Amino acid sequence: MNKLYKSLGALFATALILTIGISCSENRAAEAKKGTEETPGTSNIDVDVSEVIAEIQPTMYGIFFEDINFAIDGGLYAELVKNRSFEFDKPLRGWTVLKDQGLGVRTLPMNTGNPRNPRYLRIQIDETGSGAGLKNEGFRGMGIKENIPHDFSIQVRGVEGNVSAIRIELTDSQDNVIAEGRVNGITNDWQTLETSFTPSKTESNATMNIWFEGEGVVDIDMVSLFPTDTWKGRKKGLRADLVQLLADMEPGFLRFPGGCIVEGFDLSQRYQWKNTVGDIDERVVTINRWNFEFDHRPAPDYYQSFGVGFYEYFLLAEDLKAEPMPIINCGMACQFNTGELVPLDELQPYIQDALDLIEFANGSVDTKWGKLRADMGHPEPFNMKMIGVGNEQWGPQYIERYVPMVQAIKQKYPEMQIIAATGSDGSIFPNGEEEIDYLWEQWRKLQPEIVDEHFYRNPDWFRESADWYDDYDRNGPKLFVGEYASQSVGVASPENKNNWETAMSEAAFITGLERNAEVVTMTSYAPLFAHAEGWQWTPDLIWFNNLEAYATPNYHVQKLFSTNRGTHLINIKEDGKDLSGQNGLYATASKDEESGDLIIKFVNTTGQDKQLNFTVNGVDALPDTGKLLVLKGDLSSENSFDGANVKPEERSVKVGGTTFSIPSASYSMSVLRVQMSDLGS
Ligand code: AHR
């Protein structure tokens, strides 16, 4: 196996071993601390409604979207046919030839001459009969729903003989037929034939057979099957249950398309947005870089059909009322893999891609790329305001490419906000923190509007780092904590769990992000989605199978912060100090000018129930009751398809006057909302 080919896997594995070592001993220490250390059972906390520290940006809590773990093909994109256009490395990957005994069937992958859709499949049926066909296995099976019409389509032409019809069958895991359809009228010209049928049964592991009737030679391409109960009922659209989970988070932004997928294992595999827009059969199927990344989770059938491409990402952002945040390749492949660089004198096409992307998103319909957006169904601009230049890039090579790219963007679009990277978490860098220091030196000079930082650390680190941004320069770039997730075992370890300890530790850390809303303006957990059978990386925010999805404890933490953000950060202190982990307590307070609510979020990371005595200054009196939302569980609690062990519970609590006490359960996160008539000045 090519050594470089595996280097990200190797790097994550090294980080994993180191982290396992560190996290095991740290966890033991923390465990000991949790069990024995007595912390005060009561805390006296002062909130000052009249003292606004900062605005909390509407973008504070958003979504990081990357096609990893079969997040799109096999996931969000509701297409049920895998390798529908025969473009995978093996043209028949995902397909099996079906034939009756004695029937001669030959499949010949043919070249179209069109580099954007290079293959179709020729099927030669040598004997008359109705027993020649193909089976598609779907993405670890197909999720088929009873009583929901499914749309089938195929591009087909007859070449010789009398094959005039195709019969379609959906079969359950026992091979019983649960739906049938038929398309007729095959001619010698390419045409798209379509039909719809409604399954008689729900099945998570269905397959689809297509049978050719007659004998001769027939060509096929773009074989497709979609359920019709998609998000907003859009034809050939997205899985509604998965989008709904995103919508419920009320995200402030949508970062896409990643992640390392932006960079590619090498430059040939980088994400090229122009290959992902326009007619669906002209989008260039590309290997997914997570196909071969991890030896422990190989996914040879992981490709990108780009049925969800940049147009669909922009549309999704619009549906979610989230700011679109595309990240663009800056002439560098993933530095954890090949680190391949485009020579500086050949950077122009990459720069042009960035400029054209802005035109695609925002340009008038009279421009080349604005017209394409309009032709695709969206004449109005998408109103994109920011662009990420590179994902996890570092070293002088990054700066050499960043500078001309940003100069060109700013020259044409001075209002565009630039997101610069700091590579990743310094703990997994080849040269450790040096790389981060070098980049920050550059950012202090170059002053991008926003700098993106990533953290994949153990739960202890998250609990201990709520003060991480306390000393960041208030006059420098704003901070985007673009990827973070607490790793229960080690970075990208397949043993990592989305348990309550990781989620609660993230909650503690997030109070620190919000408390620093003056500099931290955007944050997102990573990765977002994982197919329960097809994943490569864990932990992840949302797990799904072919029919269902469940929200992890980490998701509930994200959602509680996002849906209880507040518009203005206000002062909250214990004994004049921020609540950033003293005695295992963390807290922030905000007021929300839209709802008129005072919002206090607090996290108790100790194994001890506490009583929090609040004094609220800056208001005359509080109403008698407030709403308390609580997330809690055993540290090892996880959610699953069978049910949620950790989910928010809501109850009414007594407040009133300007002092009141609220319980804070052991190992819990709580949100208190009190409707205020007078929110202070
Ligand atoms: O979130 C998974 C990966 O972690 C992302 O693709 C990358 O940016 C980071 O290394």
Side-chain angles (χ1 to χ4, degrees):
M1 179 94 42
N2 177 336
K3 243 179 30 205
L4 284 171
Y5 216 60
K6 290 283 142 196
S7 60
L8 181 55
L11 182 92
F12 283 127
T14 313
L16 167 79
I17 292 161
L18 285 173
T19 321
I20 291 173
I22 296 165
S23 82
C24 286
S25 57
E26 280 182 359
N27 279 344
R28 269 194 301 275
E31 221 30 73
K33 204 164 89 187
K34 276 172 218 149
T36 56
E37 196 181 283
E38 275 293 308
T39 55
T42 57
S43 291
N44 299 321
I45 297 170
D46 295 306
V47 179
D48 194 342
V49 173
S50 63
E51 198 183 331
V52 169
I53 298 166
E55 270 185 41
I56 305 177
Q57 295 305 316
T59 51
M60 184 70 185
Y61 301 107
I63 288 175
F64 161 86
F65 203 135
E66 175 166 22
D67 189 5
I68 182 173
N69 302 317
F70 284 81
I72 295 188
D73 288 294
L76 187 81
Y77 187 43
E79 171 66 272
L80 294 165
V81 178
K82 183 167 74 184
N83 194 11
R84 64 185 174 192
S85 58
F86 310 102
E87 308 295 352
F88 288 16
D89 55 345
K90 296 186 181 164
L92 280 182
R93 205 181 263 291
W95 295 93
T96 313
V97 178
L98 304 168
K99 55 180 180 170
D100 273 353
Q101 253 185 347
L103 197 74
V105 181
R106 207 182 282 246
T107 53
L108 306 168
M110 306 291 287
N111 195 286
T112 58
N114 172 5
R116 299 185 73 86
N117 182 352
R119 284 198 205 122
Y120 62 92
L121 193 69
R122 173 155 294 177
I123 297 147
Q124 206 172 303
I125 304 159
D126 291 339
E127 293 172 34
T128 309
S130 60
L134 291 170
K135 177 193 284 291
N136 190 276
E137 66 190 30
F139 299 88
R140 314 303 188 263
M142 292 176 181
I144 298 293
K145 280 162 273 176
E146 185 182 1
N147 296 331
I148 300 294
H150 285 60
D151 291 339
F152 171 86
S153 63
I154 187 167
Q155 291 181 0
V156 58
R157 75 171 166 193
V159 182
E160 274 174 29
N162 61 9
V163 180
S164 60
I166 299 172
R167 191 162 49 83
I168 305 108
E169 283 175 353
L170 302 184
T171 57
D172 68 11
S173 51
Q174 268 81 49
D175 257 355
N176 302 308
V177 176
I178 56 173
E180 268 187 294
R182 187 187 176 82
V183 288
N184 299 302
I186 298 172
T187 66
N188 289 351
D189 295 319
W190 276 111
Q191 57 179 324
T192 301
L193 297 180
E194 296 176 323
T195 186
S196 282
F197 39 79
T198 302
S200 57
K201 184 183 166 193
T202 294
E203 169 66 51
S204 64
N205 195 17
T207 49
M208 181 181 76
N209 302 328
I210 54 173
W211 299 101
F212 300 94
E213 295 185 351
E215 80 175 359
V217 179
V218 69
D219 291 338
I220 61 169
D221 203 354
M222 298 300 290
V223 188
S224 170
L225 180 70
F226 276 86
T228 48
D229 61 342
T230 52
W231 171 251
K232 289 187 183 279
R234 287 187 190 130
K235 221 172 152 50
K236 303 194 177 214
L238 310 182
R239 248 179 81 165
D241 59 336
L242 298 184
V243 183
Q244 190 59 55
L245 280 163
L246 304 184
D248 292 346
M249 290 171 72
E250 299 177 12
F253 64 87
L254 181 74
R255 172 183 166 194
F256 56 89
C260 295
I261 215 161
V262 171
E263 304 149 338
F265 169 78
D266 61 22
L267 284 171
S268 75
Q269 292 175 11
R270 74 188 188 278
Y271 198 99
Q272 299 188 58
W273 74 268
K274 288 176 180 165
N275 288 344
T276 76
V277 292
D279 288 347
I280 206 84
D281 53 358
E282 292 276 312
R283 301 188 188 181
V284 186
V285 175
T286 305
I287 191 167
N288 187 304
R289 55 137 313 118
W290 299 104
N291 177 309
F292 49 80
E293 189 65 63
F294 294 122
D295 282 337
H296 57 269
R297 295 293 298 178
D301 56 342
Y302 201 1
Y303 281 73
Q304 301 170 88
S305 70
F306 296 122
V308 174
F310 260 36
Y311 177 80
E312 288 76 17
Y313 273 126
F314 278 114
L315 204 57
L316 178 62
E318 184 172 271
D319 287 350
L320 298 174
K321 301 186 181 56
E323 295 292 342
M325 184 203 289
I327 311 293
I328 192 121
N329 187 295
C330 62
M332 304 176 80
C334 179
Q335 289 168 276
F336 293 116
N337 295 139
T338 61
E340 194 178 45
L341 297 169
V342 76
L344 287 174
D345 59 0
E346 292 170 28
L347 188 64
Q348 189 49 38
Y350 291 73
I351 295 176
Q352 197 57 49
D353 272 359
L355 298 175
D356 292 343
L357 173 62
I358 301 169
E359 186 176 293
F360 177 71
N362 295 350
S364 94
V365 297
D366 303 327
T367 61
K368 176 179 170 189
W369 293 102
K371 177 173 183 318
L372 176 62
R373 183 192 71 241
D375 292 347
M376 291 182 76
H378 204 286
E380 309 77 26
F382 282 118
N383 200 16
M384 159 185 169
K385 303 188 185 81
M386 51 193 159
I387 186 168
V389 177
N391 171 45
E392 288 183 341
Q393 263 57 71
W394 64 84
Q397 300 79 6
Y398 177 32
I399 302 302
E400 284 161 7
R401 284 158 184 78
Y402 170 94
V403 169
M405 189 173 255
V406 169
Q407 264 167 5
I409 295 172
K410 283 289 188 184
Q411 196 175 9
K412 192 152 182 206
Y413 302 103
E415 70 290 354
M416 191 57 55
Q417 295 180 45
I418 304 294
I419 303 174
T422 46
S424 177
D425 180 340
S427 67
I428 60 167
F429 264 168
N431 297 322
E433 300 293 338
E434 265 177 49
E435 299 286 5
I436 305 261
D437 294 345
Y438 167 77
L439 283 174
W440 267 110
E441 236 174 79
Q442 308 306 314
W443 302 145
R444 276 189 282 275
K445 281 185 263 168
L446 296 167
Q447 288 291 321
E449 283 84 359
I450 305 156
V451 173
D452 178 15
E453 298 198 321
H454 299 174
F455 302 102
Y456 294 98
R457 306 266 193 141
N458 65 35
D460 296 348
W461 183 90
F462 279 93
R463 292 197 301 278
E464 285 156 14
S465 303
D467 58 355
W468 189 265
Y469 288 104
D470 287 6
D471 298 328
Y472 273 58
D473 182 1
R474 270 39 191 167
N475 300 313
K478 300 296 180 207
L479 267 298
F480 170 34
V481 185
E483 293 181 32
Y484 68 91
S486 168
Q487 317 281 298
S488 64
V489 175
V491 183
S493 163
E495 305 305 324
N496 283 334
K497 302 284 181 236
N498 282 103
N499 60 25
W500 177 236
E501 182 179 13
T502 61
M504 180 193 71
S505 305
E506 286 153 10
F509 180 66
I510 300 168
T511 62
L513 304 180
E514 194 173 279
R515 207 166 30 74
N516 283 287
E518 214 178 338
V519 279
V520 180
T521 56
M522 297 186 288
T523 64
S524 43
Y525 182 98
L528 179 67
F529 279 126
H531 188 296
E533 289 169 49
W535 60 274
Q536 294 77 51
W537 179 299
T538 181
D540 303 287
L541 206 59
I542 297 167
W543 287 78
F544 63 89
N545 58 27
N546 286 341
L547 289 173
E548 297 174 306
Y550 73 86
T552 59
N554 315 68
Y555 170 93
H556 288 298
V557 164
Q558 293 290 320
K559 187 175 156 192
L560 274 191
F561 273 97
S562 181
T563 55
N564 296 286
R565 173 174 49 86
T567 51
H568 294 84
L569 184 74
I570 57 175
N571 210 334
I572 181 166
K573 299 264 196 260
E574 183 186 17
D575 297 331
K577 291 193 208 120
D578 291 330
L579 284 115
S580 57
Q582 307 90 313
N583 302 317
L585 258 192
Y586 303 77
T588 60
S590 59
K591 57 183 184 180
D592 187 52
E593 285 196 335
E594 281 153 34
S595 63
D597 283 4
L598 163 67
I599 304 169
I600 304 176
K601 306 183 198 82
F602 47 95
V603 183
N604 175 359
T605 63
T606 73
Q608 201 182 350
D609 293 343
K610 290 176 184 278
Q611 199 63 28
L612 307 188
N613 301 327
F614 289 100
T615 302
V616 180
N617 302 305
V619 282
D620 292 337
L622 300 159
D624 288 343
T625 55
K627 181 172 82 175
L628 189 68
L629 292 146
V630 180
L631 266 182
K632 62 180 182 188
D634 295 336
L635 293 182
S636 59
S637 301
E638 293 174 54
N639 293 346
S640 72
F641 291 108
D642 297 330
N645 292 314
V646 183
K647 59 173 188 241
E649 280 164 21
E650 184 180 323
R651 68 175 195 270
S652 166
V653 284
K654 200 171 164 322
V655 285
T658 54
T659 60
F660 55 91
S661 288
I662 301 287
S664 169
S666 63
Y667 303 137
S668 69
M669 168 190 174
S670 308
V671 180
L672 173 68
R673 289 193 78 123
V674 186
Q675 172 88 67
M676 308 285 287
S677 49
D678 170 14
L679 269 178
S681 56

